[in-house]
Amino acid sequence: MTTINISDDMIRLGQFLKMADLAETGGEAKQIVQQGRVKVNGEVETRRGRQLHAGDVVELDGREQLLLR
């Protein structure tokens, strides 16, 4: 599991995917999320605007990322 530090209280899922280098562009992030490839805390998430907070675990294609503040 990789950890990603965020500076604010929350970050949107699409922004997170770009920040964590899991997507190169917002458009790519949107496609990845809409395809159902992303899980947040073990549940499939299809909303790119989903708010993430410290302690949330994001999984893409079996790779987990833990958000820390």
Side-chain angles (χ1 to χ4, degrees):
M1 180 180 297
T2 305
T3 59
I4 302 292
N5 291 312
I6 59 174
S7 58
D8 294 325
D9 290 334
M10 74 89 182
I11 187 170
R12 302 222 182 259
L13 180 57
Q15 293 171 318
F16 171 78
L17 292 175
K18 292 188 299 183
M19 186 178 94
D21 291 326
L22 299 173
E24 291 185 25
T25 65
E28 183 181 4
K30 181 179 179 179
Q31 287 181 337
I32 289 169
V33 172
Q34 286 179 340
Q35 291 169 352
R37 294 170 50 196
V38 177
K39 291 183 180 179
V40 176
N41 300 325
E43 306 245 345
V44 173
E45 182 57 65
T46 57
R47 297 172 295 157
R48 161 176 79 142
R50 160 81 185 259
Q51 292 184 4
L52 303 174
H53 303 275
D56 285 341
V57 176
V58 177
E59 181 181 339
L60 172 61
D61 299 335
R63 294 178 292 177
E64 290 186 337
Q65 311 279 330
L66 173 64
L67 272 70
L68 299 176
R69 179 149 178 7

